[in-house]
């Protein structure tokens, strides 16, 4: 029952996640932003996420995680409200988007902690895979709702309306689960500055070499994932703008993004099942290679028929998500219980640190390529998939090889 509830709250908590991505081209034109500035605004979400997630997740080892989740939902709603009501340009929009990201950071991993602390029946990694996969459902719903609201009422109304979701999700998580005996109230807990970046506890996590490898992989994964999601609507808007009349796309860019994100849900769940059967290391190796190849092919396909572009986008989405649950489940299963919360915090810092860089790298590459009179999409996709290939090279030819020698 706990898992089902947290799946619902996660969908609500990221209701506004894709609102900026869905409105990027409109905001870019209205505020006369460069591609780098537009990408930086997308990255601002992850700046807030990375700044707060260490504190939020470390505190889950000490206090009532439900209260952290509730506070995070309310802060995320506040950021969306500010973006919709008060933003005037690049100089203040990044603050509201950063606030939104900070709030979401106090829901995503703490929500996973709520599940892992309360579910002790069956294969725990399956519960984790469903939870991570439902991020895709929430993101898809966010694209869909945001697209409708933007088309009918404008991008500001979309931010104001989707702001309802995170606060409501926080309330559901708080009321729908029970406080555990060892958890203190957030008001009674004693905080120290070292809780923000708990270096001593992180050192213990990093000593678990298996966990360190999964965190590196998660960093490459999230860089590619969130850069792709941030620019996906803009990519299809561009493809549609240069398409010939007989090559008209059959649906809007936001609807395409919705379907692509939904495809990622079974991909993550099935990916975890495949990893359980053939081994996590082998599965991550092949998936990351396939993701890189499909990403570059997608960027190069802007002038092709819409069906080919859509097929490549679906394939890329499937391969991006196919190792998502595997990497997170591998981390959770590889660390001892007493540092699990800190491990999740460091996992998020490293992973969403990649998410922070991805959209800005993508946008900067677009600007640089167009300075040389290229459309830039192939280079932009290459700039975000290369990191997965570097991780594969590191693990295949150094880390796992070294690990096998140390175990022999």
């Amino acid at each position: 029952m706990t898992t089902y509830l947290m799946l619902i709250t996660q969908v609500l908590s990221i209701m506004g996640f894709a609102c900026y991505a869905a409105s990027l081209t409109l905001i870019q034109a209205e505020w006369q932003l460069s591609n780098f500035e537009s990408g930086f605004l997308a990255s601002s979400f992850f700046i807030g996420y990375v700044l707060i997630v260490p504190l939020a997740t470390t505190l889950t080892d000490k206090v009532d995680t439900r209260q952290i989740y509730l506070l995070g939902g309310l802060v995320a709603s506040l950021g969306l409200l500010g973006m919709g009501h008060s933003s005037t340009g690049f100089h203040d929009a990044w603050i509201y988007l950063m606030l939104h990201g900070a709030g979401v950071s106090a829901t995503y991993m703490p929500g996973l902690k709520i599940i892992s602390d309360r579910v002790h029946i069956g294969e725990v990694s399956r519960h984790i895979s469903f939870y991570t996969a439902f991020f895709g459902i929430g993101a898809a719903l966010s694209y869909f709702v945001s697209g409708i609201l933007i088309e009918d009422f404008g991008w500001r109304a979309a931010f104001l309306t989707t702001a309802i979701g995170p606060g409501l999700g926080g309330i559901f998580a708080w009321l729908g689960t029970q406080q555990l005996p060892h958890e203190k109230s957030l008001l009674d807990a004693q905080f120290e500055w070292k809780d923000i970046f708990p270096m001593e506890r992180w050192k213990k996590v990093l000593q678990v070499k298996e966990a360190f490898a999964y965190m590196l992989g998660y960093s490459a994964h999230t860089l590619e994932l969130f850069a792709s999601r941030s620019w996906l609507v803009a990519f299809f808007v561009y493809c549609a703008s240069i398409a010939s009349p007989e090559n008209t796309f059959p649906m809007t860019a936001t609807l395409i993004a919705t379907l692509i994100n939904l495809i990622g849900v079974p991909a993550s769940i099935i990916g975890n099942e495949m990893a359980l059967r053939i081994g996590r290391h082998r599965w991550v190796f092949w998936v990351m290679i396939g993701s890189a190849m499909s990403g570059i092919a997608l960027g190069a396909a802007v002038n092709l028929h819409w069906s080919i572009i859509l097929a490549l986008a679906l394939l890329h989405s499937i391969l991006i998500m196919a190792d998502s649950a595997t990497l997170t489940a591998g981390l959770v299963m590889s660390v001892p219980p007493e540092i699990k919360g800190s491990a999740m915090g460091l996992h998020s810092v490293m992973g969403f640190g990649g998410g922070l860089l991805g959209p800005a790298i993508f946008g900067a590459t677009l600007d640089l390529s167009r300075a040389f009179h290229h459309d830039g999409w192939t280079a932009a996709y290459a700039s975000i998939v290369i990191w997965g290939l570097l991780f594969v090279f590191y693990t295949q030819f150094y880390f796992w090889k070294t690990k096998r020698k140390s175990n022999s």
Side-chain angles (χ1 to χ4, degrees):
M1 186 64 184
T2 297
T3 301
Y4 295 133
L5 174 67
M6 296 313 299
L7 296 180
I8 295 171
T9 61
Q10 183 182 188
V11 170
L12 289 171
S13 295
I14 59 172
M15 184 64 68
F17 172 77
C19 199
Y20 174 73
S23 55
L24 186 152
T25 53
L26 296 176
I27 294 175
Q28 184 179 42
E30 182 176 330
W31 291 347
Q32 296 296 299
L33 304 178
S34 68
N35 287 312
F36 172 73
E37 288 173 324
S38 299
F40 183 84
L41 286 183
S43 293
S44 297
F45 172 92
F46 301 102
I47 295 174
Y49 194 105
V50 169
L51 287 176
I52 297 301
V53 74
L55 175 62
T57 51
T58 298
L59 289 178
T60 62
D61 287 331
K62 299 181 178 182
V63 303
D64 185 358
T65 309
R66 306 169 312 132
Q67 294 181 15
I68 297 173
Y69 198 107
L70 172 61
L71 182 61
L74 295 176
V75 171
S77 290
L78 184 63
L80 292 169
L81 287 171
M83 184 67 184
H85 181 266
S86 304
S87 63
T88 58
F90 174 82
H91 64 282
D92 63 351
W94 71 269
I95 297 175
Y96 297 120
L97 293 172
M98 185 174 67
L99 192 63
H100 176 219
V104 172
S105 74
T107 63
Y108 183 63
M109 280 298 178
L112 183 58
K113 184 71 158 49
I114 289 174
I115 293 174
S116 64
D117 283 347
R118 289 163 175 79
V119 175
H120 306 288
I121 300 175
E123 175 57 61
V124 177
S125 71
R126 290 197 174 100
H127 291 268
I128 296 172
S129 72
F130 271 90
Y131 183 80
T132 57
F134 261 66
F135 192 101
I137 290 181
L141 185 60
S142 182
Y143 276 109
F144 182 70
V145 172
S146 298
I148 292 175
L149 291 171
I150 290 168
E151 184 176 355
D152 291 342
F153 305 105
W155 66 266
R156 289 189 182 274
F159 276 99
L160 293 173
T161 305
T162 57
I164 298 171
L168 192 60
I171 293 172
F172 283 176
W174 181 52
L175 294 177
T177 56
Q178 296 296 317
Q179 182 176 345
L180 297 178
H182 70 275
E183 292 180 328
K184 298 179 181 179
S185 170
L186 192 59
L187 297 176
D188 297 332
Q190 295 182 348
F191 306 108
E192 300 179 24
W193 283 109
K194 66 180 182 180
D195 288 332
I196 300 178
F197 293 99
M199 301 306 297
E200 291 301 319
R201 297 178 69 84
W202 283 358
K203 287 179 182 178
K204 294 180 181 179
V205 175
L206 292 175
Q207 288 172 0
V208 184
K209 298 302 182 182
E210 186 90 354
F212 176 63
Y214 284 121
M215 288 186 285
L216 283 179
Y218 191 61
S219 300
H221 160 77
T222 52
L223 188 153
E224 181 180 354
L225 172 65
F226 291 121
S228 175
R229 280 180 172 165
S230 296
W231 284 96
L232 192 61
V233 172
F235 172 74
F236 278 106
V237 168
Y238 176 82
C239 292
S241 70
I242 65 171
S244 59
E246 63 272 12
N247 190 25
T248 303
F249 281 76
M251 60 191 78
T252 64
T254 51
L255 184 55
I256 294 173
T258 298
L259 297 175
I260 288 174
N261 275 270
L262 283 176
I263 289 293
V265 177
S268 181
I269 296 171
I270 295 171
N272 184 67
E273 295 298 320
M274 290 296 296
L276 289 174
R277 285 166 172 75
I278 71 172
R280 289 193 178 98
H281 304 163
R282 184 183 301 173
W283 179 249
V284 170
F285 174 83
W286 288 112
V287 165
M288 284 198 170
I289 290 177
S291 179
M293 294 174 63
S294 63
I296 294 173
L298 174 61
V302 291
N303 293 304
L304 300 182
H305 193 268
W306 67 262
S307 60
I308 298 176
I309 298 174
L310 185 56
L312 286 171
L314 289 171
L315 178 61
H316 187 223
S317 176
I318 289 170
L319 290 170
I320 288 179
M321 288 303 298
D323 60 358
S324 179
T326 302
L327 292 165
T328 301
L331 178 279
V332 172
M333 305 299 287
S334 65
V335 294
E338 63 271 14
I339 58 171
K340 188 184 296 184
S342 297
M344 290 180 181
L346 184 55
H347 187 65
S348 284
V349 168
M350 291 180 63
F352 283 82
L356 184 161
L357 296 172
I361 289 174
F362 196 105
T365 306
L366 273 179
D367 282 335
L368 184 61
S369 297
R370 289 176 179 176
F372 291 94
H373 306 289
H374 299 291
D375 67 52
W377 293 103
T378 304
Y381 272 100
S383 73
I384 62 170
V385 303
I386 186 65
W387 308 100
L389 293 178
L390 291 174
F391 169 74
V392 165
F393 178 84
Y394 168 72
T395 54
Q396 183 68 16
F397 297 104
Y398 176 74
F399 182 81
W400 301 131
K401 183 177 180 180
T402 303
K403 187 172 182 292
R404 284 193 295 267
K405 285 183 178 179
S406 64
N407 291 336
S408 62

